[in-house]
Amino acid sequence: MFRTKRSGLVRRLWRSRAPVEGDGDAGTRGVGTPGCCLGKPGAGKPNPGTEAELKALTYSILKKIKEKQLELLLQAVESRGGARSPCLLLPGKVDSRLGQQSYPLPLLLYKVFRWPDLRHSSELKRLSCCESYGKINPELVCCNPHHMSRLCELESPPPPYSRYPTDFLKPPDSPGSVPASTETGGTAYSAPMGFSDSLALQERGEQPHWCVVAYWEEKTRVGRLYSVQEPSLDIFYDLPQGTGFCLGQLASDNKSQLVQMVRAKIGYGIQLSRESDGVWVYNRSCYPIFIKSATLDNPDSRTLLVHKVFPGFSIKAFDFEKAGSLQRPNDHEFSQQPRTGFTVQISFVKGWGQCYTRQFISSCPCWLEVIFNNR
């Protein structure tokens, strides 16, 4: 009975492995599709004979893992990271040879269950939900594939998704400028107005927040601002496990077919995480997200970049050090919003920008505005 259960867990884990490029189930299994700012589509496609070798190696490794650990790994893999799972602590210095290459045990599990094209640990970033790494035993490392994300390297090809002209952000009284209401199609922009909702929280003596989040459908803000006190926040549409900002619980009167289609694709959404160097955004969904942030840009650039982030990837959406250097007295971003400082805009599934049919984010079906508290 012991061997039967263990073997069954191993078989289920192998069936839940990440699809490689050209796999018949690539469109239906997992969120770890190859590609992104540094991805190379097709790099994960194995050559003939490798599949059998990988299967044999994976089986031999999994059969050495304790049964409870196998159950933990299966929970993480089958839920595709949707269910919060604890750390999977295994020896990190054990190498496994696949063909001519040798992989540390954690890297091999990440390749099998998340990213077949993964080559080096430098491409990875540990998520904030990983709490046990290096704390219990330095020889053990967390091998939970859904405690990791791929790292977006902005310097790597392909280039950012599109460029957004800063001319639209000139102060209204500057010569030749376009009124700020142009971006939202005649509606008042949310940051100065909506921030008063979060200021009321402080007046009531509640715990201070580091940011607030506004959810928009096209030009209409849906629901009140969500104030964030915890170091990380999951923003999702309809997820029974876990807690966070559930967009599906907000009352929306939007009947647009496109909005409803995009809503259904938000899924696990994103994770915002405040860390020592800045605020990171992790794409937990099955579809790309698009991000615009002043600190993702070159300070001397005349354009703001809209970055495309694929499923399973993380990007540092807000850099504390860069933010300080950008707070110049004549900076148009700060002169427009002196109380709120920076905002980061994130759209689900559909992008926007100068080279796209949607010029402004307010034309996107579903999007977020993250407003940072600079007090």
Side-chain angles (χ1 to χ4, degrees):
M1 181 65 182
F2 175 79
R3 290 180 178 274
T4 301
K5 183 176 181 181
R6 177 182 290 274
S7 299
L9 291 171
V10 172
R11 286 195 299 269
R12 285 176 62 185
L13 280 165
W14 176 251
R15 288 196 298 267
S16 301
R17 70 191 186 281
V20 296
E21 195 75 15
D23 204 343
D25 295 332
T28 59
R29 278 190 294 164
V31 299
T33 52
C36 187
C37 306
L38 55 78
K40 299 175 179 60
K45 188 173 182 178
N47 50 40
T50 303
E51 178 79 359
E53 185 180 357
L54 178 63
K55 181 177 181 179
L57 177 60
T58 304
Y59 267 60
S60 66
I61 290 174
L62 293 179
K63 286 181 178 179
K64 297 176 183 177
I65 299 177
K66 295 178 181 179
E67 189 173 294
K68 288 186 177 180
Q69 292 178 314
L70 286 176
E71 292 175 342
L72 185 156
L73 179 60
L74 184 63
Q75 176 192 8
V77 170
E78 288 190 336
S79 70
R80 300 173 184 175
R84 287 297 180 95
S85 53
C87 293
L88 175 63
L89 296 177
L90 299 172
K93 294 184 178 180
V94 176
D95 286 346
S96 303
R97 181 163 293 277
L98 181 62
Q100 300 298 317
Q101 291 184 293
S102 180
Y103 296 98
L105 178 58
L107 194 65
L108 181 67
L109 293 180
Y110 302 152
K111 283 177 64 67
V112 171
F113 296 110
R114 293 296 303 274
W115 305 286
D117 63 328
L118 184 64
R119 300 185 179 188
H120 195 270
S121 58
S122 62
E123 302 173 27
L124 298 172
K125 180 187 182 301
R126 197 165 297 277
L127 297 174
S128 60
C129 60
C130 186
E131 300 176 350
S132 301
Y133 178 69
K135 292 183 179 179
I136 299 177
N137 187 335
E139 300 297 321
L140 301 179
V141 297
C142 179
C143 297
N144 188 327
H146 289 278
H147 281 196
M148 303 295 293
S149 67
R150 289 288 288 273
L151 186 63
C152 275
E153 294 289 349
L154 302 183
E155 295 79 15
S156 304
Y161 185 67
S162 63
R163 295 181 178 272
Y164 187 90
T166 57
D167 290 342
F168 289 105
L169 296 173
K170 291 180 180 178
D173 55 353
S174 63
S177 66
V178 178
S181 60
T182 299
E183 179 172 356
T184 54
T187 61
Y189 200 61
S190 71
M193 294 178 58
F195 203 61
S196 61
D197 295 349
S198 63
L199 292 177
L201 297 175
Q202 288 184 328
E203 293 173 0
R204 294 200 299 265
E206 296 186 14
Q207 182 181 356
H209 60 275
W210 59 270
C211 78
V212 290
V213 181
Y215 171 60
W216 291 74
E217 291 177 354
E218 296 174 329
K219 297 179 177 66
T220 304
R221 198 182 86 187
V222 180
R224 294 178 62 84
L225 292 184
Y226 189 97
S227 181
V228 184
Q229 290 88 27
E230 299 298 324
S232 67
L233 171 71
D234 291 338
I235 303 175
F236 48 86
Y237 192 76
D238 186 16
L239 182 62
Q241 300 98 346
T243 59
F245 187 12
C246 182
L247 304 179
Q249 292 181 344
L250 302 178
S252 171
D253 298 327
N254 198 310
K255 305 299 182 183
S256 166
Q257 186 175 1
L258 180 60
V259 170
Q260 294 181 19
M261 180 195 73
V262 172
R263 270 199 224 127
K265 293 182 176 181
I266 293 175
Y268 296 164
I270 66 170
Q271 181 181 93
L272 290 177
S273 178
R274 185 188 183 191
E275 303 181 23
S276 59
D277 59 342
V279 177
W280 288 80
V281 175
Y282 168 49
N283 185 0
R284 304 175 69 220
S285 75
C286 297
Y287 298 89
I289 60 173
F290 299 82
I291 297 181
K292 179 170 77 72
S293 167
T295 64
L296 283 173
D297 231 341
N298 184 331
D300 299 323
S301 174
R302 291 185 54 81
T303 60
L304 294 180
L305 305 180
V306 179
H307 296 273
K308 187 176 185 178
V309 181
F310 280 84
F313 281 71
S314 287
I315 189 171
K316 193 199 302 186
F318 185 73
D319 187 297
F320 295 142
E321 185 176 350
K322 288 183 179 179
S325 65
L326 290 175
Q327 295 191 47
R328 299 183 294 270
N330 296 325
D331 193 298
H332 54 256
E333 289 271 3
F334 283 86
S335 63
Q336 286 292 90
Q337 301 175 17
R339 291 171 59 194
T340 61
F342 280 110
T343 65
V344 171
Q345 296 174 332
I346 305 169
S347 67
F348 295 102
V349 185
K350 301 295 183 180
W352 82 99
Q354 191 177 24
C355 303
Y356 198 61
T357 54
R358 296 172 182 84
Q359 292 292 298
F360 307 107
I361 193 171
S362 57
S363 300
C364 293
C366 303
W367 56 282
L368 300 170
E369 186 177 33
V370 183
I371 308 166
F372 295 104
N373 182 6
N374 62 344
R375 299 186 175 213

